[in-house]
PDB file of all heavy atoms in Angstrom:
ATOM      1  N   GLU A 116      20.662  65.814  34.374  1.00  0.00           N
ATOM      2  CA  GLU A 116      19.867  64.737  34.979  1.00  0.00           C
ATOM      3  C   GLU A 116      20.794  63.854  35.803  1.00  0.00           C
ATOM      4  O   GLU A 116      21.937  63.598  35.415  1.00  0.00           O
ATOM      5  CB  GLU A 116      19.175  63.912  33.895  1.00  0.00           C
ATOM      6  CG  GLU A 116      18.123  62.955  34.409  1.00  0.00           C
ATOM      7  CD  GLU A 116      16.875  63.658  34.910  1.00  0.00           C
ATOM      8  OE1 GLU A 116      16.492  64.701  34.343  1.00  0.00           O
ATOM      9  OE2 GLU A 116      16.277  63.158  35.888  1.00  0.00           O
ATOM     10  N   GLN A 117      20.311  63.391  36.962  1.00  0.00           N
ATOM     11  CA  GLN A 117      21.103  62.513  37.819  1.00  0.00           C
ATOM     12  C   GLN A 117      20.189  61.495  38.482  1.00  0.00           C
ATOM     13  O   GLN A 117      19.158  61.851  39.051  1.00  0.00           O
ATOM     14  CB  GLN A 117      21.844  63.324  38.889  1.00  0.00           C
ATOM     15  CG  GLN A 117      22.639  62.465  39.869  1.00  0.00           C
ATOM     16  CD  GLN A 117      23.532  63.287  40.785  1.00  0.00           C
ATOM     17  OE1 GLN A 117      24.006  64.359  40.402  1.00  0.00           O
ATOM     18  NE2 GLN A 117      23.780  62.799  41.996  1.00  0.00           N
ATOM     19  N   ILE A 118      20.572  60.223  38.393  1.00  0.00           N
ATOM     20  CA  ILE A 118      19.836  59.136  39.031  1.00  0.00           C
ATOM     21  C   ILE A 118      20.767  58.474  40.041  1.00  0.00           C
ATOM     22  O   ILE A 118      21.876  58.054  39.691  1.00  0.00           O
ATOM     23  CB  ILE A 118      19.364  58.084  38.004  1.00  0.00           C
ATOM     24  CG1 ILE A 118      18.584  58.745  36.860  1.00  0.00           C
ATOM     25  CG2 ILE A 118      18.527  57.014  38.698  1.00  0.00           C
ATOM     26  CD1 ILE A 118      17.273  59.348  37.257  1.00  0.00           C
ATOM     27  N   ASP A 119      20.325  58.378  41.285  1.00  0.00           N
ATOM     28  CA  ASP A 119      21.160  57.806  42.347  1.00  0.00           C
ATOM     29  C   ASP A 119      20.661  56.429  42.760  1.00  0.00           C
ATOM     30  O   ASP A 119      19.448  56.177  42.788  1.00  0.00           O
ATOM     31  CB  ASP A 119      21.164  58.724  43.569  1.00  0.00           C
ATOM     32  CG  ASP A 119      21.882  60.034  43.305  1.00  0.00           C
ATOM     33  OD1 ASP A 119      23.051  59.978  42.892  1.00  0.00           O
ATOM     34  OD2 ASP A 119      21.274  61.105  43.501  1.00  0.00           O
ATOM     35  N   PRO A 120      21.583  55.536  43.119  1.00  0.00           N
ATOM     36  CA  PRO A 120      21.207  54.184  43.544  1.00  0.00           C
ATOM     37  C   PRO A 120      20.899  54.149  45.039  1.00  0.00           C
ATOM     38  O   PRO A 120      21.133  55.125  45.764  1.00  0.00           O
ATOM     39  CB  PRO A 120      22.471  53.379  43.247  1.00  0.00           C
ATOM     40  CG  PRO A 120      23.572  54.360  43.552  1.00  0.00           C
ATOM     41  CD  PRO A 120      23.045  55.712  43.106  1.00  0.00           C
ATOM     42  N   GLU A 121      20.389  53.025  45.479  1.00  0.00           N
ATOM     43  CA  GLU A 121      20.198  52.804  46.915  1.00  0.00           C
ATOM     44  C   GLU A 121      21.501  52.247  47.479  1.00  0.00           C
ATOM     45  O   GLU A 121      21.659  51.046  47.647  1.00  0.00           O
ATOM     46  CB  GLU A 121      19.034  51.837  47.147  1.00  0.00           C
ATOM     47  CG  GLU A 121      17.683  52.376  46.733  1.00  0.00           C
ATOM     48  CD  GLU A 121      17.281  53.608  47.544  1.00  0.00           C
ATOM     49  OE1 GLU A 121      17.674  53.685  48.729  1.00  0.00           O
ATOM     50  OE2 GLU A 121      16.595  54.481  46.999  1.00  0.00           O
ATOM     51  N   GLN A 122      22.445  53.140  47.717  1.00  0.00           N
ATOM     52  CA  GLN A 122      23.757  52.753  48.218  1.00  0.00           C
ATOM     53  C   GLN A 122      24.102  53.618  49.427  1.00  0.00           C
ATOM     54  O   GLN A 122      23.657  54.770  49.529  1.00  0.00           O
ATOM     55  CB  GLN A 122      24.832  52.953  47.139  1.00  0.00           C
ATOM     56  CG  GLN A 122      24.746  51.988  45.970  1.00  0.00           C
ATOM     57  CD  GLN A 122      25.448  50.668  46.254  1.00  0.00           C
ATOM     58  OE1 GLN A 122      25.711  50.318  47.406  1.00  0.00           O
ATOM     59  NE2 GLN A 122      25.753  49.921  45.206  1.00  0.00           N
ATOM     60  N   PRO A 123      24.908  53.098  50.354  1.00  0.00           N
ATOM     61  CA  PRO A 123      25.281  53.897  51.524  1.00  0.00           C
ATOM     62  C   PRO A 123      26.142  55.104  51.161  1.00  0.00           C
ATOM     63  O   PRO A 123      26.130  56.112  51.845  1.00  0.00           O
ATOM     64  CB  PRO A 123      26.065  52.906  52.397  1.00  0.00           C
ATOM     65  CG  PRO A 123      26.514  51.838  51.450  1.00  0.00           C
ATOM     66  CD  PRO A 123      25.438  51.727  50.423  1.00  0.00           C
ATOM     67  N   PHE A 124      26.900  55.007  50.067  1.00  0.00           N
ATOM     68  CA  PHE A 124      27.729  56.122  49.609  1.00  0.00           C
ATOM     69  C   PHE A 124      27.179  56.600  48.279  1.00  0.00           C
ATOM     70  O   PHE A 124      27.128  55.849  47.314  1.00  0.00           O
ATOM     71  CB  PHE A 124      29.185  55.672  49.440  1.00  0.00           C
ATOM     72  CG  PHE A 124      30.102  56.760  48.938  1.00  0.00           C
ATOM     73  CD1 PHE A 124      30.840  57.526  49.816  1.00  0.00           C
ATOM     74  CD2 PHE A 124      30.215  57.019  47.574  1.00  0.00           C
ATOM     75  CE1 PHE A 124      31.682  58.531  49.349  1.00  0.00           C
ATOM     76  CE2 PHE A 124      31.047  58.018  47.102  1.00  0.00           C
ATOM     77  CZ  PHE A 124      31.781  58.776  48.002  1.00  0.00           C
ATOM     78  N   ARG A 125      26.729  57.861  48.219  1.00  0.00           N
ATOM     79  CA  ARG A 125      26.177  58.408  46.986  1.00  0.00           C
ATOM     80  C   ARG A 125      26.941  59.661  46.589  1.00  0.00           C
ATOM     81  O   ARG A 125      27.540  60.334  47.419  1.00  0.00           O
ATOM     82  CB  ARG A 125      24.701  58.765  47.166  1.00  0.00           C
ATOM     83  CG  ARG A 125      23.822  57.602  47.568  1.00  0.00           C
ATOM     84  CD  ARG A 125      22.381  58.045  47.608  1.00  0.00           C
ATOM     85  NE  ARG A 125      21.519  57.045  48.211  1.00  0.00           N
ATOM     86  CZ  ARG A 125      20.212  57.187  48.354  1.00  0.00           C
ATOM     87  NH1 ARG A 125      19.625  58.295  47.945  1.00  0.00           N
ATOM     88  NH2 ARG A 125      19.489  56.234  48.909  1.00  0.00           N
ATOM     89  N   MET A 126      26.855  59.977  45.291  1.00  0.00           N
ATOM     90  CA  MET A 126      27.483  61.190  44.797  1.00  0.00           C
ATOM     91  C   MET A 126      26.659  62.404  45.205  1.00  0.00           C
ATOM     92  O   MET A 126      25.436  62.334  45.302  1.00  0.00           O
ATOM     93  CB  MET A 126      27.587  61.143  43.267  1.00  0.00           C
ATOM     94  CG  MET A 126      28.441  60.015  42.736  1.00  0.00           C
ATOM     95  SD  MET A 126      30.153  60.149  43.256  1.00  0.00           S
ATOM     96  CE  MET A 126      30.615  61.703  42.505  1.00  0.00           C
ATOM     97  N   VAL A 127      27.342  63.528  45.437  1.00  0.00           N
ATOM     98  CA  VAL A 127      26.621  64.772  45.692  1.00  0.00           C
ATOM     99  C   VAL A 127      25.909  65.179  44.406  1.00  0.00           C
ATOM    100  O   VAL A 127      26.324  64.797  43.307  1.00  0.00           O
ATOM    101  CB  VAL A 127      27.582  65.889  46.143  1.00  0.00           C
ATOM    102  CG1 VAL A 127      28.238  65.519  47.454  1.00  0.00           C
ATOM    103  CG2 VAL A 127      28.638  66.161  45.079  1.00  0.00           C
ATOM    104  N   PRO A 128      24.816  65.941  44.496  1.00  0.00           N
ATOM    105  CA  PRO A 128      24.090  66.338  43.279  1.00  0.00           C
ATOM    106  C   PRO A 128      24.972  67.105  42.302  1.00  0.00           C
ATOM    107  O   PRO A 128      25.737  67.983  42.697  1.00  0.00           O
ATOM    108  CB  PRO A 128      22.968  67.222  43.833  1.00  0.00           C
ATOM    109  CG  PRO A 128      22.777  66.765  45.237  1.00  0.00           C
ATOM    110  CD  PRO A 128      24.151  66.394  45.716  1.00  0.00           C
ATOM    111  N   HIS A 129      24.876  66.752  41.016  1.00  0.00           N
ATOM    112  CA  HIS A 129      25.666  67.400  39.972  1.00  0.00           C
ATOM    113  C   HIS A 129      24.815  68.263  39.042  1.00  0.00           C
ATOM    114  O   HIS A 129      25.354  68.890  38.133  1.00  0.00           O
ATOM    115  CB  HIS A 129      26.384  66.342  39.120  1.00  0.00           C
ATOM    116  CG  HIS A 129      27.630  65.805  39.753  1.00  0.00           C
ATOM    117  ND1 HIS A 129      27.614  65.051  40.897  1.00  0.00           N
ATOM    118  CD2 HIS A 129      28.939  65.935  39.398  1.00  0.00           C
ATOM    119  CE1 HIS A 129      28.860  64.712  41.220  1.00  0.00           C
ATOM    120  NE2 HIS A 129      29.672  65.233  40.337  1.00  0.00           N
ATOM    121  N   ILE A 130      23.502  68.286  39.235  1.00  0.00           N
ATOM    122  CA  ILE A 130      22.631  69.007  38.315  1.00  0.00           C
ATOM    123  C   ILE A 130      23.040  70.478  38.251  1.00  0.00           C
ATOM    124  O   ILE A 130      23.175  71.148  39.272  1.00  0.00           O
ATOM    125  CB  ILE A 130      21.157  68.901  38.751  1.00  0.00           C
ATOM    126  CG1 ILE A 130      20.730  67.438  38.829  1.00  0.00           C
ATOM    127  CG2 ILE A 130      20.265  69.675  37.788  1.00  0.00           C
ATOM    128  CD1 ILE A 130      20.827  66.704  37.529  1.00  0.00           C
ATOM    129  N   GLY A 131      23.244  70.966  37.026  1.00  0.00           N
ATOM    130  CA  GLY A 131      23.620  72.362  36.829  1.00  0.00           C
ATOM    131  C   GLY A 131      25.104  72.633  36.904  1.00  0.00           C
ATOM    132  O   GLY A 131      25.540  73.752  36.622  1.00  0.00           O
ATOM    133  N   ASN A 132      25.905  71.629  37.270  1.00  0.00           N
ATOM    134  CA  ASN A 132      27.348  71.837  37.376  1.00  0.00           C
ATOM    135  C   ASN A 132      27.972  72.071  35.999  1.00  0.00           C
ATOM    136  O   ASN A 132      27.696  71.346  35.048  1.00  0.00           O
ATOM    137  CB  ASN A 132      28.024  70.624  38.018  1.00  0.00           C
ATOM    138  CG  ASN A 132      27.845  70.605  39.521  1.00  0.00           C
ATOM    139  OD1 ASN A 132      27.115  71.417  40.075  1.00  0.00           O
ATOM    140  ND2 ASN A 132      28.502  69.667  40.181  1.00  0.00           N
ATOM    141  N   LEU A 133      28.836  73.081  35.917  1.00  0.00           N
ATOM    142  CA  LEU A 133      29.583  73.370  34.696  1.00  0.00           C
ATOM    143  C   LEU A 133      31.016  72.872  34.842  1.00  0.00           C
ATOM    144  O   LEU A 133      31.599  72.957  35.921  1.00  0.00           O
ATOM    145  CB  LEU A 133      29.604  74.874  34.420  1.00  0.00           C
ATOM    146  CG  LEU A 133      28.327  75.518  33.876  1.00  0.00           C
ATOM    147  CD1 LEU A 133      28.475  77.029  33.887  1.00  0.00           C
ATOM    148  CD2 LEU A 133      28.047  75.037  32.464  1.00  0.00           C
ATOM    149  N   ALA A 134      31.582  72.361  33.749  1.00  0.00           N
ATOM    150  CA  ALA A 134      32.976  71.915  33.759  1.00  0.00           C
ATOM    151  C   ALA A 134      33.553  72.082  32.358  1.00  0.00           C
ATOM    152  O   ALA A 134      32.837  71.927  31.363  1.00  0.00           O
ATOM    153  CB  ALA A 134      33.071  70.455  34.192  1.00  0.00           C
ATOM    154  N   PRO A 135      34.847  72.405  32.245  1.00  0.00           N
ATOM    155  CA  PRO A 135      35.469  72.489  30.917  1.00  0.00           C
ATOM    156  C   PRO A 135      35.339  71.162  30.178  1.00  0.00           C
ATOM    157  O   PRO A 135      35.427  70.092  30.783  1.00  0.00           O
ATOM    158  CB  PRO A 135      36.934  72.809  31.240  1.00  0.00           C
ATOM    159  CG  PRO A 135      36.915  73.412  32.609  1.00  0.00           C
ATOM    160  CD  PRO A 135      35.802  72.723  33.328  1.00  0.00           C
ATOM    161  N   LEU A 136      35.142  71.223  28.872  1.00  0.00           N
ATOM    162  CA  LEU A 136      34.918  70.009  28.081  1.00  0.00           C
ATOM    163  C   LEU A 136      36.043  68.989  28.221  1.00  0.00           C
ATOM    164  O   LEU A 136      35.796  67.787  28.160  1.00  0.00           O
ATOM    165  CB  LEU A 136      34.759  70.380  26.602  1.00  0.00           C
ATOM    166  CG  LEU A 136      33.339  70.672  26.106  1.00  0.00           C
ATOM    167  CD1 LEU A 136      33.384  71.264  24.709  1.00  0.00           C
ATOM    168  CD2 LEU A 136      32.488  69.415  26.122  1.00  0.00           C
ATOM    169  N   HIS A 137      37.270  69.451  28.398  1.00  0.00           N
ATOM    170  CA  HIS A 137      38.395  68.516  28.413  1.00  0.00           C
ATOM    171  C   HIS A 137      38.660  67.921  29.789  1.00  0.00           C
ATOM    172  O   HIS A 137      39.496  67.030  29.925  1.00  0.00           O
ATOM    173  CB  HIS A 137      39.660  69.221  27.931  1.00  0.00           C
ATOM    174  CG  HIS A 137      40.203  70.252  28.880  1.00  0.00           C
ATOM    175  ND1 HIS A 137      39.402  71.182  29.496  1.00  0.00           N
ATOM    176  CD2 HIS A 137      41.459  70.492  29.325  1.00  0.00           C
ATOM    177  CE1 HIS A 137      40.148  71.960  30.266  1.00  0.00           C
ATOM    178  NE2 HIS A 137      41.400  71.555  30.184  1.00  0.00           N
ATOM    179  N   ALA A 138      37.937  68.388  30.831  1.00  0.00           N
ATOM    180  CA  ALA A 138      38.335  68.081  32.201  1.00  0.00           C
ATOM    181  C   ALA A 138      37.560  66.942  32.845  1.00  0.00           C
ATOM    182  O   ALA A 138      37.876  66.548  33.961  1.00  0.00           O
ATOM    183  CB  ALA A 138      38.200  69.336  33.070  1.00  0.00           C
ATOM    184  N   THR A 139      36.542  66.406  32.175  1.00  0.00           N
ATOM    185  CA  THR A 139      35.761  65.308  32.740  1.00  0.00           C
ATOM    186  C   THR A 139      35.582  64.215  31.695  1.00  0.00           C
ATOM    187  O   THR A 139      35.727  64.455  30.491  1.00  0.00           O
ATOM    188  CB  THR A 139      34.364  65.781  33.195  1.00  0.00           C
ATOM    189  OG1 THR A 139      33.599  66.167  32.043  1.00  0.00           O
ATOM    190  CG2 THR A 139      34.468  66.956  34.164  1.00  0.00           C
ATOM    191  N   ALA A 140      35.235  63.025  32.160  1.00  0.00           N
ATOM    192  CA  ALA A 140      34.987  61.925  31.227  1.00  0.00           C
ATOM    193  C   ALA A 140      33.820  62.261  30.308  1.00  0.00           C
ATOM    194  O   ALA A 140      33.875  62.025  29.094  1.00  0.00           O
ATOM    195  CB  ALA A 140      34.714  60.638  32.006  1.00  0.00           C
ATOM    196  N   ALA A 141      32.749  62.828  30.868  1.00  0.00           N
ATOM    197  CA  ALA A 141      31.589  63.198  30.050  1.00  0.00           C
ATOM    198  C   ALA A 141      31.969  64.253  29.021  1.00  0.00           C
ATOM    199  O   ALA A 141      31.574  64.179  27.850  1.00  0.00           O
ATOM    200  CB  ALA A 141      30.466  63.715  30.946  1.00  0.00           C
ATOM    201  N   GLY A 142      32.746  65.243  29.456  1.00  0.00           N
ATOM    202  CA  GLY A 142      33.162  66.294  28.537  1.00  0.00           C
ATOM    203  C   GLY A 142      34.006  65.758  27.396  1.00  0.00           C
ATOM    204  O   GLY A 142      33.834  66.150  26.238  1.00  0.00           O
ATOM    205  N   ARG A 143      34.912  64.845  27.706  1.00  0.00           N
ATOM    206  CA  ARG A 143      35.762  64.281  26.645  1.00  0.00           C
ATOM    207  C   ARG A 143      34.958  63.396  25.694  1.00  0.00           C
ATOM    208  O   ARG A 143      35.258  63.333  24.497  1.00  0.00           O
ATOM    209  CB  ARG A 143      36.916  63.500  27.256  1.00  0.00           C
ATOM    210  CG  ARG A 143      37.941  64.390  27.926  1.00  0.00           C
ATOM    211  CD  ARG A 143      39.180  63.614  28.323  1.00  0.00           C
ATOM    212  NE  ARG A 143      40.059  64.438  29.142  1.00  0.00           N
ATOM    213  CZ  ARG A 143      41.243  64.051  29.597  1.00  0.00           C
ATOM    214  NH1 ARG A 143      41.695  62.836  29.311  1.00  0.00           N
ATOM    215  NH2 ARG A 143      41.974  64.854  30.341  1.00  0.00           N
ATOM    216  N   ALA A 144      33.961  62.695  26.219  1.00  0.00           N
ATOM    217  CA  ALA A 144      33.114  61.895  25.335  1.00  0.00           C
ATOM    218  C   ALA A 144      32.472  62.788  24.278  1.00  0.00           C
ATOM    219  O   ALA A 144      32.371  62.423  23.102  1.00  0.00           O
ATOM    220  CB  ALA A 144      32.040  61.172  26.146  1.00  0.00           C
TER     221      ALA A 144
END
Side-chain angles (χ1 to χ4, degrees):
E116 191 71 34
Q117 177 171 330
I118 307 293
D119 292 305
E121 294 297 328
Q122 290 276 18
F124 179 95
R125 301 185 190 181
M126 298 297 298
V127 297
H129 280 67
I130 302 299
N132 282 7
L133 285 171
L136 270 170
H137 70 314
T139 67
R143 289 189 189 183

